[in-house]
């Protein structure tokens, strides 16, 4: 099927019966200066992904993993949301509980832009948890660059030495069930109404996020991809709007 390229001139009409689910990826933060994963100067090029975004990698070299995430933490702090982030915050204010934002991004820029109805599917750069005990993940802006390895103070009280880790979903790790059920519940409600699914700034490579468009279509959703270039799963979308999300998203909804 040749996915038509929908010119932005035909914005998506929003009415009282419209429910919108938006999935974002690293491309939405690109215009804020944050490098994407698989683009030309992608993040992974300097670090093999299995070394820095997997539990095996953390076991093998926790200092490298903490350096990778600390560098991103330090840089993300200096970045600001772009018009694409604000457009999604505005849409949320218009639609209320008929809107849900699901992001694969861990940079915190959607929250910085004011988004509240948000599911951070792959975690958040500024949250840390213990790799052993089930203490609640906590806000943490510290950087662990020079090989320091943060240890869990609660475990230490019981004489255990446990490393802290980024509260990030690594490859091979399950996504938080509560996040997945929140998305499924929203889709089920949207299915009974006019359901619009928009994916923006994502290469459609990583699952289960890349599979959301299939679920949306099965539930009768109208599906749109907003991306700088064709994605791995472009063919699944009914509409493909090619271009920078920071310019397209502010004009996508009428
Ligand atoms: C799991 C860590 C159960 C956080 C990340 C089928 C079903 C389920 C799982 C799998 C499956 N097949 C394979 C798997 C395993 C794996 C997977 O999907 N592997 C892939 C590589 C094949 N999935 C998992 O392991 C997931 N866990 O399902 O558990 C399980 C376990 C084992 C086996 C089976 C099942 C966990 C996935 C989470 C992994 N963690 N990162 C971090 O460090 O950030 S994923 C990583 O990729 C990031 O989180 C990132 O968000 C994500 C997706 O990348 P994108 O956001 O799409 O970014 P990318 O650079 O790729 O693309 C950017 C796009 O933007 C480009 O297309 C570019 O053209 C465009 N762009 C650029 N600028 C702009 C723009 N677009 C618009 N405007 C612009 N200005």
């Amino acid at each position: 099927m040749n996915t038509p390229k929908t010119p932005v001139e035909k914005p998506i009409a929003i009415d009282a019966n419209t429910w919108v689910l938006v999935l974002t990826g690293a491309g939405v933060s690109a215009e804020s200066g944050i490098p994407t994963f698989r683009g030309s100067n992608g993040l992974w090029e300097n670090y093999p992904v299995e070394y820095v975004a997997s539990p095996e990698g953390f076991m093998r070299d926790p200092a490298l993993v903490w350096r990778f995430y600390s560098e991103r933490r330090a840089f993300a702090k200096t970045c600001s949301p772009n018009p694409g982030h604000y457009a999604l915050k505005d849409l949320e204010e218009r639609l209320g509980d008929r809107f849900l934002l699901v992001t694969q991004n861990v940079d915190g820029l959607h929250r910085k832009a004011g988004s509240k109805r948000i599911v951070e599917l792959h975690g958040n750069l500024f949250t840390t948890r213990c790799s052993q005990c089930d203490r609640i993940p906590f806000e943490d802006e510290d950087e662990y660059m020079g090989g320091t390895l943060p240890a869990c103070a609660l475990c230490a009280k019981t004489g255990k030495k446990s490393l802290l880790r980024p509260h990030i979903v690594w490859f091979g790790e399950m996504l938080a069930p509560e996040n997945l059920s929140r998305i499924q519940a929203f889709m089920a409600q949207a299915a009974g109404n006019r359901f619009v699914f928009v994916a923006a700034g994502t290469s459609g490579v990583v699952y289960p996020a890349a599979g959301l468009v299939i679920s949306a279509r099965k539930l009768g959703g109208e599906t749109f991809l907003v991306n700088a270039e064709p994605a791995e799963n472009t063919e699944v979308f009914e509409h493909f709007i090619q271009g920078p999300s920071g310019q397209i998203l502010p004009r996508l909804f009428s």
Side-chain angles (χ1 to χ4, degrees):
M1 177 189 72
N2 284 328
T3 309
K5 277 192 196 166
T6 313
V8 181
E9 290 62 39
K10 272 197 285 179
I12 301 170
I14 300 286
D15 62 22
N17 194 32
T18 306
W19 290 58
V20 179
L21 177 65
V22 177
L23 169 70
T24 60
V28 160
S29 293
E31 288 154 89
S32 296
I34 297 197
T36 62
F37 288 88
R38 297 166 184 87
S40 50
N41 62 344
L43 265 177
W44 302 130
E45 276 173 6
N46 306 328
Y47 298 91
V49 63
E50 61 281 355
Y51 271 60
V52 289
S54 71
E56 297 76 19
F58 185 68
M59 297 276 281
R60 182 191 309 114
D61 189 347
L64 172 68
V65 173
W66 266 117
R67 199 162 50 249
F68 174 62
Y69 283 97
S70 297
E71 280 170 8
R72 291 170 66 196
R73 208 179 248 186
F75 185 66
K77 273 183 212 165
T78 69
C79 297
S80 307
N82 65 60
H85 294 105
Y86 288 113
L88 295 177
K89 185 267 297 181
D90 293 346
L91 186 62
E92 172 182 326
E93 285 175 353
R94 254 180 88 183
L95 292 175
D97 57 12
R98 290 186 284 123
F99 176 87
L100 185 63
L101 172 60
V102 178
T103 187
Q104 300 171 90
N105 300 340
V106 297
D107 56 37
L109 288 183
H110 283 301
R111 287 189 188 284
K112 244 185 198 170
S115 288
K116 300 273 184 299
R117 291 179 57 79
I118 180 170
V119 175
E120 291 178 313
L121 213 48
H122 296 161
N124 182 294
L125 270 181
F126 302 101
T127 313
T128 295
R129 72 170 194 253
C130 177
S131 59
Q132 302 303 321
C133 76
D134 53 7
R135 69 187 284 189
I136 297 168
F138 56 94
E139 286 219 1
D140 179 11
E141 299 222 344
D142 289 352
E143 290 146 31
Y144 309 98
M145 298 284 201
T148 50
L149 289 174
C152 175
L154 293 190
C155 287
K157 285 197 178 124
T158 59
K160 269 179 67 189
K161 230 180 119 35
S162 309
L163 284 182
L164 294 177
R165 58 162 282 180
H167 184 49
I168 293 278
V169 181
W170 284 328
F171 286 100
E173 294 189 321
M174 303 297 281
L175 276 65
E178 63 273 17
N179 283 342
L180 296 174
S181 43
R182 183 176 179 194
I183 296 164
Q184 270 139 21
F186 181 86
M187 282 191 169
Q189 281 189 291
N193 300 279
R194 176 170 167 255
F195 178 18
V196 169
F197 176 84
V198 177
T202 182
S203 60
V205 166
V206 174
Y207 285 81
L212 287 179
V213 56
I214 298 164
S215 311
R217 287 201 66 165
K218 280 187 186 147
L219 289 164
E222 188 175 2
T223 54
F224 297 78
L225 174 66
V226 174
N227 214 53
E229 63 202 2
E232 189 89 0
N233 59 351
T234 304
E235 293 311 293
V236 185
F237 290 85
E238 289 143 294
H239 309 278
F240 172 38
I241 304 166
Q242 186 160 2
S245 51
Q247 291 172 29
I248 292 172
L249 291 176
R251 295 183 293 137
L252 184 58
F253 300 95
S254 69

